[in-house]
Amino acid sequence: MFGSESLVTILLCVGVAGWLAALAVEGYGLGLVGNLVVGTLGTAAAALAALALEVQIEERMIGIIAATGGAMLVLVLVGLARRL
């Protein structure tokens, strides 16, 4: 999804995706570690969706948008699971 980039760049992209998703779904940030965890799970969800749809994500901005969408999905599912 992000290609062969440095670890710092990948962590920054994952953190931004987690932070944006937390702002959109929860209305506040989850802290650095929470944003990284949610962003990582969102990136994995977006990568699985891209594989299932046979779509290649090559640009960094599109990757962050896809990871944010995946992270939002993760947060919504966690929110639904908490209510059960």
Side-chain angles (χ1 to χ4, degrees):
M1 180 179 228
F2 289 108
S4 59
E5 298 177 15
S6 71
L7 181 61
V8 174
T9 305
I10 292 171
L11 288 175
L12 181 66
C13 293
V14 166
V16 168
W19 176 69
L20 289 173
L23 285 178
V25 175
E26 300 288 330
Y28 55 89
L30 301 172
L32 180 62
V33 174
N35 288 339
L36 288 173
V37 169
V38 169
T40 301
L41 293 173
T43 301
L48 288 174
L51 283 174
L53 297 173
E54 297 179 5
V55 175
Q56 290 185 348
I57 300 173
E58 296 179 4
E59 292 186 33
R60 183 176 298 130
M61 193 63 183
I62 301 299
I64 292 174
I65 292 169
T68 302
M72 289 171 67
L73 177 66
V74 167
L75 287 175
V76 167
L77 291 176
V78 167
L80 290 175
R82 282 185 182 174
R83 292 181 185 174
L84 295 179

